[in-house]
Each structure stands twice: as C-alpha cells, then as structure tokens.
C-alpha cells in the first residue's frame, strides 16, 4: 500500500532497537551521526548470510556462489543509491577512514613534491589527516576556512587556494558536527576548472538526502553503511579511470581489475549483505512515501529502484527538516543555549538535521550525561571534527550534538526540550 502521508510510527516499526527498553524506559536515539540504529531488512540479510551463505567468495560450491551473488547485488544496490554509472565503481571496505587512508596512500604515489591538496576546517578528521599526512612527502596543504559565525563554507573561498598545482580537493557533503551542507557541486566545478580531482565525504549526507555522483561529477565519494541504517561497512565510489589509473596496495593473488583491486583481504561478507538490506529498506520507504516526488524523478529518466531511492531520500529530507527546525526553534527558547551553525531560516537548504549546542555554565559532557539518565542518547565532544572545534575555540570540551534521523519523532524532540528547560531552570 502506498501512502503520501509520512507515518513515523510505521517507519519506527522497521527498527527493532526502537521498541526495546534501556534502564526501564524506551530510549530516544539522537546519536545517528555516530551510528544509526539498524533496520530489520539489514539485520535479516546479515542473519541469512550466516545461515545459508557463510563462505568466502570465488568458489565453485553453492554457499560460495551465494556469497558472490549477494556481494554483486549489494554493489548494484549501492550504485543505485548514489546513482553511480556501474556497480564496478563501488568498493567495499572496513570503514570510511580506512578506505580514505588506503586511497590517499595510493594517491601519494602519483603526485610530486610541490603539488597541492586542499582540505577544509569543516570536515571530519577522516577527510583531513589522510591528506595532510602527505605533507611529509613534500605535498603542500592548503586549508579553506569555515565561516565561524554560521559554520558554512563559501565556494568562492576556494578560489584563493586553487591553482594549476592543486591535485585534489577534499570536502564534506554535510558536516557531522553542525549539519552544514556546503554547495559541493559549485566546489567541484571550481576544482575541475584548474584540473584538480575532488574527494567528497558523504558519510553524513547519504542518510539524509539523495546523492547523485554523476550529476555532481565528483571523482571520489565515500560513505558508511552504519550511518545509513546498516552494519559497519565503508563504501568508496570512484570514477573508473581513477580506480584503474591509481595503483592500490594489494596482495599479488588479488584480481587486478576494479573494484577488487581496491579491496584488501577477505571482505566483510555479512556486512556487505547488510548494506543490500539497508538499500532495500530505503527503496521501500520510497515506494510507500515517495508519491509526491515520483513525477519529478520519472521525468528525469530515473527508473525502478533508482527512482524509489530518489523519492525515499526526498521524503526523508523533508520530514527531517521539520524536526530540525522544530529543535532549533525550541533551543532558541532555552535560556543560555548557544546553537552552533546556521539558524537563518532563509537558508534552510544549507543545513541538515544535525544540531550542536552548548548551555552556559554546563560542560557538554555533563549535559549529555544528564540526558542519558533521562533516556536521551546523544554525543558530546568534537565527534572527530577536530579542526572545526579548534576554530570555534571549543576544544577540548566541544558541544552537545543532537543527530536527528527519519525514525525520530516530534514528541522526542519536545521531550528533549522539556529536559533542557528543566536543566536550565526555565
């Protein structure tokens, strides 16, 4: 049955953890940027792998053949999720950080001392340190600063650092700390104009909005399945010419063709199966709640699962925006609350559903601990967005982070606000 009305109670039924009690009460999970709860589709795919597909790939026997079938299906599904041209452009790995270090190591072999790489102060450190480490090989590191007043990146700011020596720009699609959504398409255009490649960290965007690597024209993009309702698996997308040109560090018996040449060691087959389940879940959301957006993507030529995935992410993004601004509006009425990042209602499209704040007179970890006692699970600190917190003068304490996802409800947001009002005596 297809419904145009987003039913969060029905959505929550897909997540077994949301029905469980912790310390005698149901928990409110606002920890999504650190890892979302896992949907039933993914859990069932993982379980099925252990029960009937538990074998290494590449064999002639049935369980091995089943493993290969599931892995291929997961590549196809992930390619559909981000609109990659081919499943061969999808590389699976342990996590985003490992994949980024792996690629950076190979990238270093293809550049020379004096070449330049651009990073930003908005990014998670996993999209900073793998690149800045190349300075030891003589690479020059340029940094684009964030606007500290609203934690945004101005694409025009890249013009001052881009030049004919720039080889790569590393930039986030959405901040894991403060929810800022840079204009990645504009940044990519600027980088390509000087001949530089672009590496996009989409870990915090994929769970919340539609990604189209072909439309963006990015050279590489990474995401993590455990941030989009699946298991702990990292995903790397790369344009075929780059995946074939760069030399990966691999064992001799590994096939020297993409994507296998980039996958070191035995893959996490059960996790990869869970990625398939997570994408299948998104497609179900699109089928059920994507009606209002279907004509938009049908006219753009998307068909079948890619269409449902586009519709799903549009429905999710619109629903989460109502939660995010409900939270921001509420926080602005909490005495002593200071919100990090964008609060300008005319620029809503530049902010996602991750909101960070501090309360005057209280340490972030203290606030997070009080919330945990009340069954509200969230993070405090720098969340590995180290450069940003240093720039904002918040190290080492950081801030409290509320990460909203599409299984959260307005009632949960209101309960959080009630606790914060009580905590601050108002």
């Amino acid at each position: 049955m297809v419904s145009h009305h987003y039913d969060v109670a029905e959505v929550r039924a897909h997540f077994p953890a949301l029905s469980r009690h912790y310390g005698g009460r149901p928990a409110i999970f606002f920890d999504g940027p650190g890892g979302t709860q896992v949907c039933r589709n993914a859990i069932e795919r993982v379980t099925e792998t252990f029960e009937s597909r538990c074998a290494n790939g590449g064999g002639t026997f049935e369980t091995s053949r089943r493993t290969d079938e599931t892995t291929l299906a997961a590549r196809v599904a992930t390619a559909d999720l981000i609109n990659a041209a081919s499943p061969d452009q999808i590389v699976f790995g342990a996590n985003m950080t490992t994949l980024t270090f792996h690629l950076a190591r190979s990238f270093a072999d293809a550049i020379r001392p004096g070449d330049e790489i651009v990073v930003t102060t908005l990014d998670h450190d996993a999209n900073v340190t793998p690149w800045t480490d190349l300075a030891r090989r003589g690479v020059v590191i340029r940094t684009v600063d964030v606007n500290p007043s609203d934690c945004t990146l101005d694409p025009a700011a890249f013009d001052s650092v881009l030049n004919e020596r720039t080889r790569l720009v590393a930039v986030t699609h959405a901040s894991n700390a403060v929810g800022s959504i840079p204009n990645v398409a504009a940044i990519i255009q600027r980088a390509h104009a000087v001949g530089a490649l672009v590496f996009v960290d989409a870990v915090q965007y994929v769970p919340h909005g539609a990604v189209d690597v072909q439309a963006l024209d990015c050279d590489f993009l990474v995401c993590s399945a455990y941030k989009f309702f699946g298991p702990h698996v990292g995903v790397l997308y790369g344009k075929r010419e780059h995946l074939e040109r760069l030399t990966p560090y691999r064992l001799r018996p590994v096939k020297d063709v993409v994507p296998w040449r980039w996958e070191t060691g035995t893959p996490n087959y059960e996790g990869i199966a869970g990625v398939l389940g997570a994408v299948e879940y998104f497609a179900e959301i699109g089928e059920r709640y994507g009606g209002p957006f279907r004509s938009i993507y049908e006219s753009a030529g998307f068909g079948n699962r890619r269409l449902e995935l586009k519709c799903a992410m549009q429905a999710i993004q619109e629903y989460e925006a109502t939660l995010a601004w409900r939270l921001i509006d509420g926080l602005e009425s909490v005495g002593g609350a200071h919100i990090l990042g964008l609060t300008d209602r005319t620029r809503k499209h530049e902010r996602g559903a991750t909101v960070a704040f501090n309360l005057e007179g209280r340490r972030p970890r203290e606030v997070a601990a009080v919330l945990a006692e009340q069954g509200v699970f969230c993070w405090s600190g720098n969340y590995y967005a180290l450069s940003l917190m240093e720039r904002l003068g918040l190290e080492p304490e950081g801030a409290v982070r509320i990460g909203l996802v599409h299984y959260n409800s307005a009632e949960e947001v209101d309960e959080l606000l009630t606790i914060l009002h009580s905590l601050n005596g108002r």
Side-chain angles (χ1 to χ4, degrees):
M1 177 181 177
V2 176
S3 171
H4 291 179
H5 174 66
Y6 189 91
D7 186 344
V8 67
E10 184 177 70
V11 168
R12 290 173 66 84
H14 288 267
F15 294 86
L18 301 184
S19 64
R20 300 190 181 278
H21 286 62
Y22 303 84
R25 71 177 74 199
I28 296 175
F29 290 97
F30 287 150
D31 61 336
T36 56
Q37 299 306 300
V38 182
C39 64
R40 181 172 285 105
N41 301 55
I43 295 170
E44 290 176 351
R45 282 289 188 181
V46 171
T47 301
E48 179 192 26
T49 298
F50 284 127
E51 291 179 344
S52 63
R53 300 168 188 263
C54 194
N56 212 324
T60 58
F61 51 96
E62 184 175 0
T63 50
S64 181
R65 293 198 307 270
R66 288 183 178 182
T67 294
D68 289 335
E69 290 169 0
T70 302
T71 302
L72 175 58
R75 285 195 210 279
V76 172
T78 307
D80 288 345
L81 179 64
I82 63 173
N83 199 36
S86 167
D88 289 347
Q89 296 173 294
I90 303 299
V91 176
F92 293 120
N95 47 60
M96 175 269 182
T97 303
T98 300
L99 286 168
T100 305
F101 269 114
H102 186 188
L103 183 71
R105 185 184 184 194
S106 295
F107 191 78
D109 293 336
I111 57 179
R112 296 175 297 178
D115 287 343
E116 299 184 3
I117 289 177
V118 176
V119 297
T120 88
T121 55
L122 182 64
D123 276 76
H124 186 291
D125 202 57
N127 201 27
V128 177
T129 293
W131 308 113
T132 58
D133 275 357
L134 301 189
R136 68 186 66 173
R137 299 201 184 194
V139 173
V140 176
I141 306 298
R142 305 289 186 191
T143 302
V144 173
D145 197 12
V146 69
N147 181 346
S149 65
D150 60 13
C151 299
T152 60
L153 285 175
D154 181 357
F158 285 78
D159 295 339
S160 64
V161 297
L162 293 171
N163 58 68
E164 69 279 0
R165 296 184 300 277
T166 308
R167 297 293 173 259
L168 181 131
V169 174
V171 65
T172 186
H173 205 333
S175 167
N176 76 305
V178 295
S180 301
I181 300 175
N183 187 342
V184 175
I187 295 167
I188 292 170
Q189 289 177 353
R190 282 173 155 83
H192 283 175
V194 299
L197 305 183
V198 181
F199 183 95
V200 178
D201 173 6
V203 170
Q204 285 304 322
Y205 194 86
V206 169
H208 307 287
V211 172
D212 189 331
V213 293
Q214 295 186 72
L216 285 174
D217 196 29
C218 58
D219 299 283
F220 304 97
L221 181 141
V222 280
C223 57
S224 296
Y226 77 101
K227 305 292 178 71
F228 61 83
F229 318 106
H232 286 79
V233 175
V235 178
L236 166 68
Y237 156 83
K239 288 183 177 178
R240 177 181 288 276
E241 59 264 34
H242 303 321
L243 295 178
E244 290 179 342
R245 174 179 58 86
L246 295 174
T247 302
Y249 287 79
R250 63 183 182 88
L251 302 181
R252 289 174 296 170
V254 174
K255 291 186 289 186
D256 192 21
V257 294
V258 297
W260 296 277
R261 69 197 303 260
W262 288 96
E263 294 178 342
T264 59
T266 301
N268 176 4
Y269 288 118
E270 63 273 17
I272 293 171
V275 175
L276 172 59
V279 177
E280 290 171 333
Y281 162 72
F282 276 136
E284 290 180 18
I285 294 296
E287 182 179 1
R288 187 158 185 82
Y289 304 117
F293 318 105
R294 189 159 284 110
S295 61
I296 300 173
Y297 293 112
E298 284 176 337
S299 64
F302 293 102
N304 302 322
R305 183 164 57 192
R306 294 195 185 206
L307 170 64
E308 300 301 347
L309 291 170
K310 290 286 187 180
C311 293
M313 302 319 299
Q314 190 71 41
I316 286 171
Q317 193 168 44
E318 291 205 358
Y319 173 73
E320 289 181 350
T322 64
L323 292 184
W325 289 98
R326 186 187 191 98
L327 173 58
I328 292 170
D329 289 342
L331 283 172
E332 289 180 336
S333 70
V334 175
H338 298 278
I339 301 170
L340 280 61
L342 199 65
T343 58
D344 183 349
R345 272 68 173 170
T346 68
R347 300 169 64 189
K348 289 184 177 182
H349 63 286
E350 297 180 51
R351 157 182 273 293
T354 299
V355 181
F357 68 94
N358 275 319
L359 293 182
E360 287 183 4
R362 294 187 181 272
R363 300 172 65 181
R365 190 168 180 85
E366 173 195 356
V367 175
V370 171
L371 291 173
E373 291 172 358
Q374 301 298 314
V376 178
F377 296 177
C378 67
W379 287 99
S380 66
N382 62 36
Y383 348 107
Y384 282 54
L386 179 61
S387 298
L388 176 62
M389 291 301 172
E390 289 176 338
R391 179 67 176 87
L392 298 177
L394 296 176
E395 272 296 295
E397 300 289 343
V400 181
R401 181 182 64 184
I402 304 300
L404 302 167
V405 296
H406 71 290
Y407 54 59
N408 291 126
S409 67
E411 291 76 15
E412 290 180 327
V413 171
D414 291 346
E415 184 167 343
L416 165 67
L417 293 170
T418 297
I419 297 171
L420 293 177
H421 278 287
S422 174
L423 182 61
N424 242 28
R426 297 189 184 185

